[in-house]
Amino acid sequence: MDIFSGIALGLQVAMDPTNILFCLIGCLVGTLVGVLPGLGPTATIAILLPMTFGLEPVTGLITLSGIYYGAQYGGSTTSILLRLPGEASSVVTALDGHAMTRNGRGGAALAIAAIASFFAGTVATFFMAAFAPVLSVAVLKFGAPEYFMLMFLGLITSVVLAQGSVLRAIAMIMLGLLLGLAGTDINSGQYRYDFGFIELLNGIPFVPVVVGLFGVADILVALEKAAKDARPPAILKISSLWPTKAEAKQATPATIRGTFIGLVLGLLPGGGALLSSFMAYSAEKRLSKTPEKFGTGMVEGVAAPEAANNSGAQTAFLPLLTLGIPSNAIMALMVGAMMVHGIVPGPRIMTNQPDLFWGLIASMWIGNLMLLVINLPLVGIWVQLLKIRYQYLFPTILVVSIVGIYGVEFTTFDVYLTAIFGLLGYFLNKWRCEPAPLILAFVLGPMMEEYFRRSMLVARGDLGIFINHPISLVMLVMVVLLLASMFFPFIQKFRQKAFAE
């Protein structure tokens, strides 16, 4: 199937009334999630994941995807108006966006953010449509050694790009790999690490892990912060939504640069919206003739990161759909959703389930169009929602998530498991350990084990198979270079400066 036929099929699937309805629901929920600080898209997708199991696979994935890129739109609203980022990828937008609000240009900042996001989302959609078939054909040449090394490379890259200490990131990956070992050995049929619980014979359930680590833990952290400062935010008056010609002229090249930065960084393991927005802001500051003015209301400081986080959020789907490998924690949740629906993510999705593949891509463009239309008129409503005290909001969300967990398998064991991982996630936050590498390792671990064993069976136990295959060798060299680079002083300083900023 050529690209144009694929896009036509995708639009046919995405324009189905049911899919349009759930795309709109996902976008609205995602925008709300982006607006409300403390409840990111990762936690929300984890909480709502069980509720999509009764839907058709493509409808469920369209809904979850809408939540993800909708949150990128919503996060900019409170960042600009209140200097209160609702989503991590909108932190840098708050620097110049809120300064524009104080200068009386808050409405223009919101319009620039929305238009830049729509442009970036459109470009990212067509980028995925153009390059996904090429990648899928190339990946069909991969064997077990190449798949194992690709996943190993992904985990190492997530360590390099993880916030904070490298040792903590490695510890999270090791813990995730250990959790992934629980259950029945696929080759021998022996039970391992089940601790006598028959519920663990098929492995640790995915949904309780992610709802606990992200949903419950984030709620506990947010409630703790809210208890310390329960004052409602001061809401400034919104000015005209139309940017001036000078502002539009400044925003255009920044939007284009931010879009292409997001296209590239969204493909990297551990990348996605957060890394893209930071790098786009840094690039604009370095290219500017007046970098000292950044933070005082520069239009480029709004347009570039908003374009980058939206294009990065969408191209993060490309490694998942073509390689079957999640590039960040949210994509790991998507893998879990696919597996529950009996879908094996990877290059054969395009040929075996073209309606799902192209329908998901087409829905992204429709979702971006919806977000452009609904976001600006609803700005006042979103901001008023911030007046709801977290002490009332989050317990309600917690009850809904627990009901959703119980509804998956109708067992209280999953509820207890969710509580355990919720406490674990809370303490990981206290210890400044990022849970995203843990989830990546938890999802990739069983697949890595399977491909490693296949490689050893083919090579009769000879580890040289990873060197004898050229593609595997190239990825092994990249792993070694990445690990070696972590010991270079300038790399360490760059990471410290980047995450501190």
Side-chain angles (χ1 to χ4, degrees):
M1 180 180 295
D2 59 53
I3 295 174
F4 296 105
S5 300
I7 292 174
L9 174 62
L11 287 173
Q12 182 181 347
V13 173
M15 293 296 288
D16 178 83
T18 302
N19 291 337
I20 287 181
L21 174 63
F22 280 94
C23 182
L24 177 62
I25 292 172
C27 291
L28 287 172
V29 171
T31 304
L32 175 61
V33 165
V35 166
L36 294 174
L39 187 66
T42 310
T44 306
I45 290 174
I47 291 169
L48 296 181
L49 188 60
M51 300 181 187
T52 64
F53 293 164
L55 302 174
E56 290 294 321
V58 65
T59 306
L61 291 174
I62 285 173
T63 307
L64 297 177
S65 302
I67 294 172
Y68 181 33
Y69 52 77
Q72 313 310 319
Y73 275 77
S76 64
T77 300
T78 47
S79 292
I80 290 170
L81 296 181
L82 307 172
R83 197 181 172 87
L84 195 65
E87 163 58 17
S89 60
S90 297
V91 169
V92 290
T93 306
L95 301 178
D96 284 278
H98 188 63
M100 287 184 68
T101 300
R102 293 199 308 270
N103 297 337
R105 301 300 298 157
L110 287 170
I112 288 168
I115 294 168
S117 297
F118 175 72
F119 173 81
T122 301
V123 173
T125 300
F126 285 104
F127 175 83
M128 291 177 63
F131 285 93
V134 178
L135 280 176
S136 294
V137 172
V139 172
L140 289 175
K141 299 179 181 179
F142 279 28
E146 286 80 9
Y147 269 112
F148 171 80
M149 200 55 66
L150 182 62
M151 294 176 186
F152 187 45
L153 175 62
L155 289 181
I156 296 301
T157 309
S158 70
V159 170
V160 177
L161 298 178
Q163 295 187 34
S165 167
V166 174
L167 288 178
R168 288 192 181 99
I170 293 175
M172 290 297 95
I173 283 180
M174 297 304 296
L175 179 57
L177 292 174
L178 285 173
L179 291 173
L181 289 175
T184 305
D185 186 287
I186 56 175
N187 289 332
S188 66
Q190 293 294 314
Y191 303 144
R192 58 188 186 185
Y193 308 115
D194 57 10
F195 301 101
F197 294 103
I198 59 173
E199 293 88 351
L200 295 180
L201 295 184
N202 290 324
I204 297 176
F206 177 77
V207 177
V209 173
V210 295
V211 173
L213 284 178
F214 291 103
V216 176
D218 282 9
I219 288 171
L220 293 176
V221 172
L223 283 173
E224 185 180 41
K225 290 179 180 178
K228 295 178 181 177
D229 185 12
R231 294 172 299 175
I235 300 174
L236 300 177
K237 185 178 179 181
I238 301 173
S239 62
S240 169
L241 292 174
W242 294 105
T244 63
K245 288 184 178 179
E247 289 170 338
K249 187 177 179 180
Q250 290 174 293
T252 301
T255 299
I256 294 171
R257 286 190 291 265
T259 298
F260 284 97
I261 288 173
L263 290 180
V264 176
L265 294 182
L267 301 173
L268 298 178
L274 177 58
L275 182 65
S276 301
S277 62
F278 164 75
M279 292 301 293
Y281 187 85
S282 298
E284 290 303 314
K285 197 171 181 181
R286 291 178 185 275
L287 291 172
S288 176
K289 296 179 180 178
T290 55
E292 69 279 357
K293 290 186 178 180
F294 273 74
T296 63
M298 294 288 282
V299 173
E300 299 94 321
V302 175
E306 283 303 304
N309 68 29
N310 274 272
S311 59
Q314 287 190 213
T315 54
F317 282 86
L318 200 53
L320 172 65
L321 294 174
T322 56
L323 306 175
I325 297 177
S327 58
N328 54 46
I330 294 179
M331 294 302 106
L333 301 186
M334 293 293 180
V335 170
M338 286 182 171
M339 289 183 172
V340 169
H341 284 291
I343 301 167
V344 179
R348 300 193 183 276
I349 282 185
M350 187 176 294
T351 53
N352 296 345
Q353 295 171 295
D355 55 334
L356 185 146
F357 178 86
W358 291 106
L360 183 58
I361 289 179
S363 74
M364 292 179 183
W365 185 80
I366 293 174
N368 275 279
L369 184 60
M370 287 180 178
L371 287 164
L372 179 65
V373 173
I374 66 178
N375 256 280
L376 295 179
L378 296 180
V379 163
I381 296 175
W382 298 131
V383 173
Q384 291 301 318
L385 286 172
L386 289 167
K387 293 183 178 180
I388 300 175
R389 293 187 180 275
Y390 296 155
Q391 291 91 331
Y392 306 134
L393 179 67
F394 286 131
T396 305
I397 298 172
L398 185 61
V399 170
V400 171
S401 65
I402 295 301
V403 171
I405 286 292
Y406 181 78
V408 177
E409 296 289 342
F410 296 100
T411 170
T412 55
F413 182 82
D414 286 356
V415 177
Y416 295 137
L417 208 57
T418 303
I420 292 170
F421 280 104
L423 289 174
L424 175 62
Y426 174 77
F427 287 114
L428 289 179
N429 181 276
K430 291 291 185 183
W431 298 329
R432 292 176 297 165
C433 294
E434 197 177 356
L438 187 156
I439 289 296
L440 283 176
F442 178 69
V443 171
L444 293 178
M447 292 189 284
M448 288 179 67
E449 180 187 11
E450 181 181 351
Y451 286 121
F452 180 78
R453 289 190 170 188
R454 285 186 189 178
S455 302
M456 292 297 96
L457 286 172
V458 171
R460 296 184 180 181
D462 182 12
L463 290 172
I465 189 173
F466 298 108
I467 299 175
N468 296 333
H469 288 224
I471 299 177
S472 175
L473 177 60
V474 170
M475 287 188 281
L476 179 59
V477 170
M478 292 172 67
V479 167
V480 173
L481 290 176
L482 278 173
L483 289 173
S485 69
M486 295 305 298
F487 296 97
F488 295 156
F490 74 92
I491 295 290
Q492 294 177 352
K493 288 181 180 179
F494 175 77
R495 287 183 81 255
Q496 291 171 0
K497 180 182 177 182
F499 292 123
E501 193 169 329

